[in-house]
Amino acid sequence: MAEERRPKQCTVVLPTESMKAMAESIGVGQLQEESCAALSEEVSYRIKEIAQDALKFMHHGKRRKLTTSDIDHALKLKNVEPLYGFQSQEFIPFRFASGGGRELHFYEEKEVDLSDIINTPLPRVPLDVSLKAHWLSIEGVQPAIPENPPPAPKEQQKAESTEPLKVVKPGQEEEGSIQKGQGAISAEAKGKKEGLMRMKPRSTHELSVEQQLYYKEITEACVGSCEAKRAEALQSIATDPGLYQMLPRFSTFISEGVRVNVVQNNLALLIYLMRMVKALMDNPTLYLEKYLHELIPAVVTCIVSKQLCLRPDVDNHWALRDFAARLMAQSCKTFSTTTNNIQSRITKTFTKSWLDEKTQWTTRYGCIAGLSELGPDVIKTLILPRLTVEGARIKAVSEGPVVSNIDKIGADHVQSLLLPRPTLTVSQSGIGGSGGSRSPSIIKVPSSLTLMSTRPGTPTQPSPPATKYIVMATSAGASSTQQVLDGSLVITLSSSSGSSVTSTVASATSTLQPLVKLESRAASGLGGSRPLQKYIVVSLPTSASSSLESKSGMLPPSSSSTSPISLEAGMKMDHTGCVPNGTLLPI
Amino acid sequence: MAAVQDGQLNLEVEKDIKTEITNDGSGNINANSSSPGSTSSGGKSKSPAGSGEDQQTLLAVLQFLKRNKLTESVDILRREAGLSADADDSPVSESAGAGSGGVPSVGADGGDANSLLSRVSIATPVAPPATAPPKVVAASGGEDQPDVNVVLSAYSQQGDPVLYPLYYNGLKKFIESVLDCHRAELSQVFYPLFVHMYLELVYNNHENEAKQFFEKFSGDQECYYEEDLRILSSMSKKEHMKGNETMLDFRTSKFVLRISRDSYQVSCLGKPEMSRSLWQLTITYRMLSYQLLKRHLQERQNNQIWNIIQEHLYIDIFDGMPRSKSQIDAMSGSLAGEGKRDANKAKVFYGLLKEPEIEVPLDDEDEEAENEEGKPKKKKPKKDSMGSKSKKQDPNAPQQTRIPLPELKDSDKLDKIMNMKEATKKIRLGPDNLPSICFYSFLNAYQGLTAVDFTDDSSLIAGGFADSTVRVWSVTPKKLRRVKSAADLSNIDKESDDVLERIMDEKTASESKILYGHSGPVYGISFSPDRNYLLSSSEDGTVRLWSLQTFTCLVGYKGHNYPVWDTQFSPYGYYFISGGHDRVARLWATDHYQPLRMFAGHLADITCTLFHPNSNYVATGSADRTIRLWDVLTGNCVRILTGHKGPIHSLAFSPNGKFMASGATDGRVLLWDVGHGLMVGELKGHTDTIYALKFSRDGEILASGSMDNTVKLWDTLKAFDDVELDDFTAATGHIHLPENSQELLLGTYMTKSTPVIHLHFTRRNLLLAAGAYNP
């Protein structure tokens, strides 16, 4: 019935101290405690009464916000002089002061210099009230014009995708059309044939010319070379309300793009596409569930694919894997239900390929990264028991006969991912206050960092040019507040330097040291959420890789172990494992 | 043309005075309130003793003797002492006397059943319980509501405050233990009992007990009483009760419950098998059951509850099956319980008036011609309905001359012809054929738009604003022009054909005009049907009549002393209705500066007003969550419709006058059968206050506009078809509402952060909506 609401209404009374303060302000000195109590009850009652009357004026004024004029009118009803001229720029104009054990709120009245007022130019005259007519509906269908709100709110998209049967079944046509709201109604009467028409997803919907232009611009900007444009485009994807009609196109764009670029080992483009996924997921008005069957395979591909770049030994594809793993975890969190079981299916996929003896180190890394993002439970049940086995495997690679450079790097990364390090506890304590749910990333971040600084015995590798990684300190700071930015790609410093496995330990530590401090500060300010796990280092496509991009079909000289065919096979396995709705398109 | 006879006007004035007396009464409390308090505290000290009630009565007598110089007090004394038989010479309040008549007798005699019986039967002629409801009269405010003084002193009766929760709990347990079919009905008693017990505690200065009582049991009450509970909870001191309107409502009006006879017996006895046979008998036996009820409650020491039931509740007993919970919930929710069934028994002529015959190829035919060819209603002249159907006078229609209506002017006839021509092009609407909606957004209104109206021909829009202005726009290419000044007018050739054109001042042509005059937000606005006048009502307590020829204020109607929430022209012009914070709706004629009728009876602000299409009735919606229908001729309240759970903010009559729709802050639209006074439908879907309702010109579609930024269309044809009205439901008013609002919803149209505050169907059935854009 009514138990859940209604807090203790009758007990809310102004504190007696306020009465005292008010009495003092009008020159009444020592007020008895009893009179204060009596006064405060009386005053509270009157204030409530006035507020209730003021509410009437708000309702009749057709507003949702109570204004000071409502209070004035309510006072007038009670034959009380209204508080003329009470207005304030701020929501609560009171200032707080305390001293001598007393607290006081007062109304700040600044001294005003008249000459200032006289000399300031007059403010612009506010625009006059005007009338504007538009079509809210034309014969039952709401036209998509700027005057009308975006056509389908998220709940409706959700209703459509989660209860598609309602729309489809002819017997339930009427109810379905109500779910759909406008648009379908006029069609409803035209019989079951129309009902079948409606079964078709909205992808058959024609886009207006403007939408087509928008789509073209956005996709071009997203994969183009201008970083500023890309940021703008991603921002647009993440915030614009009216994109749902283009959603099928975007999702196809992404999945096709991943398919092509994985084959071509075009790391940069894969990164861009993942950023698009991230932006789509960030858009509060979009309901992605319908398109997960395209997006999830693409994302998983970017996590576990054997090869993502032309030069696996140099390029930082690890960061892409990490990023995609985080995306995967996010979508698991958002969309996993008992019916589609995304999380468990994804987990199974990762586990399966991880357990496979023949799995490449890159895929291995992706699987572990993906699993570790899925939460402490997964880590506990799936990763920890495997640690010893994995450790032996790593040992075999690092200490055994030199098989291949790439294997070694891969093993290193897996190790760095898995190794809990003494410094872990230190940095964890710094962050630990902000929330306990971060374990996977916590394990990862500091361990990889310490890995760098404490592992002098790593084999020396040709260090990549220092200019390749641009550490954006500002973005790291900002990322604590802006999820989008931290999502904007790329490469965690830890893994980047890990991939390069620096030859000179001293230099690595020196560049890393200041960043450690930065992180702990930013992370503690974060308050429990997980966005900031790593330093954001934006990697610009290196001249080398960009030149390779242009010669896209070429096989990388250094990638010895992977061939396109095996890659393809690996991907297939990924996809079959992770399809949410069982309607996966074969890649 | 003069509308009403003088005699009636006098009557109105008299009533007016009476309401003022009521107001004076509230002033009196201040003077007198201290003494009842002291009495009660005296009573309290002795009440634990078994004979406390006798003592208490004596004390009360003593107290009144002290003050017997006041005639008012003497009256009170009489009532209090149970001398209601003598009191019939007191004109003040029959019903109140009757109500409290039983109380002292209950309190006075301890357990002597015989004397009780005799007492009660003395009281019977004055108040035949539950059979003769107090006749609801117009302006019953004066008579129905006893003096506030009396009201407050009624609470001087009291028992041990500690026992209150026990009493309540006891009843709660009892009711929970009865058969399922009775439980729902009997649990209606909870809320009024709760309220009155709380108020009694507060009145007798048991502040802490009252708080505890409230905290303990407020959670049990139905959620739709939340608003009232909030007000109650803030009232924790006796002093607060003085001037609190909600309190007065509870005190002055009896909370009406409908309980089936069976259930009532159960409540009387707790032993259904015994009482059922008894109850079938005559009034003597009924007395007996009262006695038995009393005995039953006495066994449980529930005097307090019995007193409250006697004093403050009106139990409307009906024969037949007890109602289900959902049936009860559908009807309850108003401030003073459900409407009494008898309140809705009066005949309502809901049919439409005959339209005067006008030949379309214009000839100066006499408009009084009896040859009624067609148009059932001005708003709804249909070509296809010409011929047979409406040749006859509608049997449900009032007499043509029941209310004097203004004669048609030539311009009106022209307008009617235009109307008919337009109507031939009207789109027939239906579920397959939804109307187009044209939305008029008020830009830069800064949340100041408070009222909107369209003219019937949709050529003008008027908006009332919080900055006290009224603005009129022309939405056709025809600009708004003012009539020339008197000096210029004298120069015009009055014989010329286009004299009407010549009197207009071309220099003043503009698309909109601003009307200044009010000194507060304009809450109501209404065009006259002939488009010559505009009415506006405002926070400043006035209703103003504006000329749309000169764009000046013609009259300021002063009568309401408080904000006037709404005003509406009659569909035939000349009359208009206004209602506001003073709870009285006033009927005016444009050429009288005083109201012709005052409709009093609502227990809270009148929030919206509407004329019936035949102009013989007026509907008012109120913050007491009831709708009342008033007869313009007699001034009687002919319908009380309960069921809304929040203040009602919009009303609409179907074009055939048979049905009504109402929308409230609870986001629901309720449909009513005016003839039977029954709720026939409930349309759920909105999530916020519904500010606008309109039927399409043929009544097939209902459009509703709400604060939640949507316009919704409903299939009313289906809604009214689905209702099966057999004799029984018509007689008892207990209808099973079909749960079909989702099927009836034809469309939802979101606006872009623009609350919809007015809707209007053009003559061609295009839907116009209006609201202020609130970015």
Side-chain angles (χ1 to χ4, degrees), chain A residues 48 67 82 127 210 233 285 287 294 313 368 384 470 496 521 556:
Chain A
K48 283 178 195 172
T67 63
L127 294 170
E210 293 85 357
T285 65
Y287 189 74
E294 286 188 308
D313 51 340
I368 299 170
L384 292 183
I470 298 173
S496 75
R521 188 202 53 191

PDB file of all heavy atoms in Angstrom, chain A residues 48 67 82 127 210 233 285 287 294 313 368 384 470 496 521 556:
ATOM      1  N   LYS A  48       5.170  25.363   6.594  1.00  0.00           N
ATOM      2  CA  LYS A  48       4.626  24.249   5.816  1.00  0.00           C
ATOM      3  C   LYS A  48       3.305  24.649   5.174  1.00  0.00           C
ATOM      4  O   LYS A  48       3.032  24.314   4.027  1.00  0.00           O
ATOM      5  CB  LYS A  48       4.409  23.043   6.731  1.00  0.00           C
ATOM      6  CG  LYS A  48       5.677  22.317   7.076  1.00  0.00           C
ATOM      7  CD  LYS A  48       5.392  21.177   8.022  1.00  0.00           C
ATOM      8  CE  LYS A  48       6.667  20.682   8.665  1.00  0.00           C
ATOM      9  NZ  LYS A  48       6.412  19.709   9.721  1.00  0.00           N
ATOM     10  N   THR A  67       8.388  28.851  -7.437  1.00  0.00           N
ATOM     11  CA  THR A  67       9.149  30.093  -7.546  1.00  0.00           C
ATOM     12  C   THR A  67       8.857  30.977  -6.344  1.00  0.00           C
ATOM     13  O   THR A  67       7.913  30.740  -5.581  1.00  0.00           O
ATOM     14  CB  THR A  67       8.769  30.866  -8.812  1.00  0.00           C
ATOM     15  OG1 THR A  67       7.396  31.235  -8.715  1.00  0.00           O
ATOM     16  CG2 THR A  67       8.973  30.031 -10.053  1.00  0.00           C
ATOM     17  N   PRO A  82       3.685  40.199   1.216  1.00  0.00           N
ATOM     18  CA  PRO A  82       4.705  39.389   0.539  1.00  0.00           C
ATOM     19  C   PRO A  82       6.086  39.998   0.696  1.00  0.00           C
ATOM     20  O   PRO A  82       6.224  41.176   1.045  1.00  0.00           O
ATOM     21  CB  PRO A  82       4.280  39.399  -0.926  1.00  0.00           C
ATOM     22  CG  PRO A  82       2.923  39.982  -0.958  1.00  0.00           C
ATOM     23  CD  PRO A  82       2.755  40.795   0.266  1.00  0.00           C
ATOM     24  N   LEU A 127      13.774  38.644 -25.446  1.00  0.00           N
ATOM     25  CA  LEU A 127      12.919  38.476 -26.614  1.00  0.00           C
ATOM     26  C   LEU A 127      11.464  38.408 -26.189  1.00  0.00           C
ATOM     27  O   LEU A 127      11.136  37.912 -25.122  1.00  0.00           O
ATOM     28  CB  LEU A 127      13.292  37.191 -27.339  1.00  0.00           C
ATOM     29  CG  LEU A 127      14.675  37.208 -27.963  1.00  0.00           C
ATOM     30  CD1 LEU A 127      15.053  35.821 -28.445  1.00  0.00           C
ATOM     31  CD2 LEU A 127      14.705  38.204 -29.109  1.00  0.00           C
ATOM     32  N   GLU A 210      19.932  14.208 -44.874  1.00  0.00           N
ATOM     33  CA  GLU A 210      20.767  14.773 -43.814  1.00  0.00           C
ATOM     34  C   GLU A 210      21.446  13.660 -43.028  1.00  0.00           C
ATOM     35  O   GLU A 210      22.630  13.745 -42.690  1.00  0.00           O
ATOM     36  CB  GLU A 210      19.915  15.619 -42.862  1.00  0.00           C
ATOM     37  CG  GLU A 210      19.338  16.869 -43.457  1.00  0.00           C
ATOM     38  CD  GLU A 210      18.026  16.621 -44.176  1.00  0.00           C
ATOM     39  OE1 GLU A 210      17.596  15.456 -44.252  1.00  0.00           O
ATOM     40  OE2 GLU A 210      17.445  17.594 -44.684  1.00  0.00           O
ATOM     41  N   ALA A 233      33.837  13.800 -33.788  1.00  0.00           N
ATOM     42  CA  ALA A 233      32.886  12.801 -34.276  1.00  0.00           C
ATOM     43  C   ALA A 233      32.505  11.838 -33.166  1.00  0.00           C
ATOM     44  O   ALA A 233      31.331  11.499 -32.987  1.00  0.00           O
ATOM     45  CB  ALA A 233      33.487  12.042 -35.454  1.00  0.00           C
ATOM     46  N   THR A 285      21.234   7.610 -25.120  1.00  0.00           N
ATOM     47  CA  THR A 285      19.950   7.455 -25.798  1.00  0.00           C
ATOM     48  C   THR A 285      19.899   6.218 -26.687  1.00  0.00           C
ATOM     49  O   THR A 285      18.879   5.943 -27.290  1.00  0.00           O
ATOM     50  CB  THR A 285      19.632   8.678 -26.675  1.00  0.00           C
ATOM     51  OG1 THR A 285      20.602   8.738 -27.710  1.00  0.00           O
ATOM     52  CG2 THR A 285      19.651   9.950 -25.873  1.00  0.00           C
ATOM     53  N   TYR A 287      20.167   2.172 -27.442  1.00  0.00           N
ATOM     54  CA  TYR A 287      20.038   0.869 -26.813  1.00  0.00           C
ATOM     55  C   TYR A 287      20.668  -0.160 -27.750  1.00  0.00           C
ATOM     56  O   TYR A 287      20.134  -0.497 -28.793  1.00  0.00           O
ATOM     57  CB  TYR A 287      18.577   0.545 -26.556  1.00  0.00           C
ATOM     58  CG  TYR A 287      18.423  -0.675 -25.711  1.00  0.00           C
ATOM     59  CD1 TYR A 287      18.694  -0.624 -24.351  1.00  0.00           C
ATOM     60  CD2 TYR A 287      18.058  -1.875 -26.269  1.00  0.00           C
ATOM     61  CE1 TYR A 287      18.577  -1.732 -23.567  1.00  0.00           C
ATOM     62  CE2 TYR A 287      17.947  -3.013 -25.491  1.00  0.00           C
ATOM     63  CZ  TYR A 287      18.208  -2.928 -24.143  1.00  0.00           C
ATOM     64  OH  TYR A 287      18.098  -4.045 -23.368  1.00  0.00           O
ATOM     65  N   GLU A 294      26.708  -8.089 -33.689  1.00  0.00           N
ATOM     66  CA  GLU A 294      27.748  -7.598 -34.586  1.00  0.00           C
ATOM     67  C   GLU A 294      28.928  -7.012 -33.818  1.00  0.00           C
ATOM     68  O   GLU A 294      30.081  -7.172 -34.212  1.00  0.00           O
ATOM     69  CB  GLU A 294      27.171  -6.523 -35.516  1.00  0.00           C
ATOM     70  CG  GLU A 294      26.282  -7.107 -36.587  1.00  0.00           C
ATOM     71  CD  GLU A 294      25.881  -6.060 -37.612  1.00  0.00           C
ATOM     72  OE1 GLU A 294      25.377  -4.993 -37.214  1.00  0.00           O
ATOM     73  OE2 GLU A 294      26.079  -6.310 -38.804  1.00  0.00           O
ATOM     74  N   ASP A 313      56.079  -7.404 -32.609  1.00  0.00           N
ATOM     75  CA  ASP A 313      57.140  -7.232 -31.616  1.00  0.00           C
ATOM     76  C   ASP A 313      57.311  -5.775 -31.219  1.00  0.00           C
ATOM     77  O   ASP A 313      57.838  -5.474 -30.162  1.00  0.00           O
ATOM     78  CB  ASP A 313      58.457  -7.800 -32.162  1.00  0.00           C
ATOM     79  CG  ASP A 313      58.754  -7.248 -33.536  1.00  0.00           C
ATOM     80  OD1 ASP A 313      57.783  -6.769 -34.180  1.00  0.00           O
ATOM     81  OD2 ASP A 313      59.916  -7.274 -33.957  1.00  0.00           O
ATOM     82  N   ILE A 368      43.431 -13.610 -21.036  1.00  0.00           N
ATOM     83  CA  ILE A 368      43.610 -13.284 -19.621  1.00  0.00           C
ATOM     84  C   ILE A 368      43.146 -11.869 -19.335  1.00  0.00           C
ATOM     85  O   ILE A 368      42.463 -11.605 -18.340  1.00  0.00           O
ATOM     86  CB  ILE A 368      45.084 -13.475 -19.224  1.00  0.00           C
ATOM     87  CG1 ILE A 368      45.469 -14.944 -19.439  1.00  0.00           C
ATOM     88  CG2 ILE A 368      45.305 -13.072 -17.782  1.00  0.00           C
ATOM     89  CD1 ILE A 368      46.946 -15.200 -19.311  1.00  0.00           C
ATOM     90  N   LEU A 384      43.259 -17.439 -10.962  1.00  0.00           N
ATOM     91  CA  LEU A 384      44.163 -17.818  -9.891  1.00  0.00           C
ATOM     92  C   LEU A 384      44.552 -19.301  -9.929  1.00  0.00           C
ATOM     93  O   LEU A 384      45.730 -19.624  -9.795  1.00  0.00           O
ATOM     94  CB  LEU A 384      43.554 -17.443  -8.535  1.00  0.00           C
ATOM     95  CG  LEU A 384      43.451 -15.937  -8.293  1.00  0.00           C
ATOM     96  CD1 LEU A 384      42.918 -15.633  -6.903  1.00  0.00           C
ATOM     97  CD2 LEU A 384      44.795 -15.243  -8.505  1.00  0.00           C
ATOM     98  N   ILE A 470      53.499   9.513 -26.988  1.00  0.00           N
ATOM     99  CA  ILE A 470      53.352  10.851 -26.433  1.00  0.00           C
ATOM    100  C   ILE A 470      52.533  10.740 -25.177  1.00  0.00           C
ATOM    101  O   ILE A 470      51.368  10.345 -25.198  1.00  0.00           O
ATOM    102  CB  ILE A 470      52.660  11.777 -27.433  1.00  0.00           C
ATOM    103  CG1 ILE A 470      53.538  11.874 -28.674  1.00  0.00           C
ATOM    104  CG2 ILE A 470      52.455  13.145 -26.810  1.00  0.00           C
ATOM    105  CD1 ILE A 470      52.886  12.619 -29.779  1.00  0.00           C
ATOM    106  N   SER A 496      52.977  -0.363 -22.837  1.00  0.00           N
ATOM    107  CA  SER A 496      53.776   0.128 -23.955  1.00  0.00           C
ATOM    108  C   SER A 496      55.250  -0.066 -23.653  1.00  0.00           C
ATOM    109  O   SER A 496      56.010  -0.579 -24.460  1.00  0.00           O
ATOM    110  CB  SER A 496      53.474   1.599 -24.202  1.00  0.00           C
ATOM    111  OG  SER A 496      54.092   2.381 -23.219  1.00  0.00           O
ATOM    112  N   ARG A 521      47.142   9.832  -7.291  1.00  0.00           N
ATOM    113  CA  ARG A 521      46.338  10.980  -6.925  1.00  0.00           C
ATOM    114  C   ARG A 521      45.022  10.976  -7.684  1.00  0.00           C
ATOM    115  O   ARG A 521      43.954  11.114  -7.122  1.00  0.00           O
ATOM    116  CB  ARG A 521      47.109  12.255  -7.232  1.00  0.00           C
ATOM    117  CG  ARG A 521      46.426  13.485  -6.712  1.00  0.00           C
ATOM    118  CD  ARG A 521      46.898  14.687  -7.459  1.00  0.00           C
ATOM    119  NE  ARG A 521      46.742  14.454  -8.890  1.00  0.00           N
ATOM    120  CZ  ARG A 521      47.248  15.217  -9.802  1.00  0.00           C
ATOM    121  NH1 ARG A 521      47.993  16.244  -9.469  1.00  0.00           N
ATOM    122  NH2 ARG A 521      47.048  14.980 -11.077  1.00  0.00           N
ATOM    123  N   PRO A 556      53.779  -8.528 -42.856  1.00  0.00           N
ATOM    124  CA  PRO A 556      54.876  -7.930 -42.111  1.00  0.00           C
ATOM    125  C   PRO A 556      56.087  -8.858 -42.140  1.00  0.00           C
ATOM    126  O   PRO A 556      55.935 -10.071 -42.051  1.00  0.00           O
ATOM    127  CB  PRO A 556      54.299  -7.816 -40.698  1.00  0.00           C
ATOM    128  CG  PRO A 556      53.206  -8.825 -40.643  1.00  0.00           C
ATOM    129  CD  PRO A 556      52.663  -8.921 -42.029  1.00  0.00           C
TER     130      PRO A 556
END
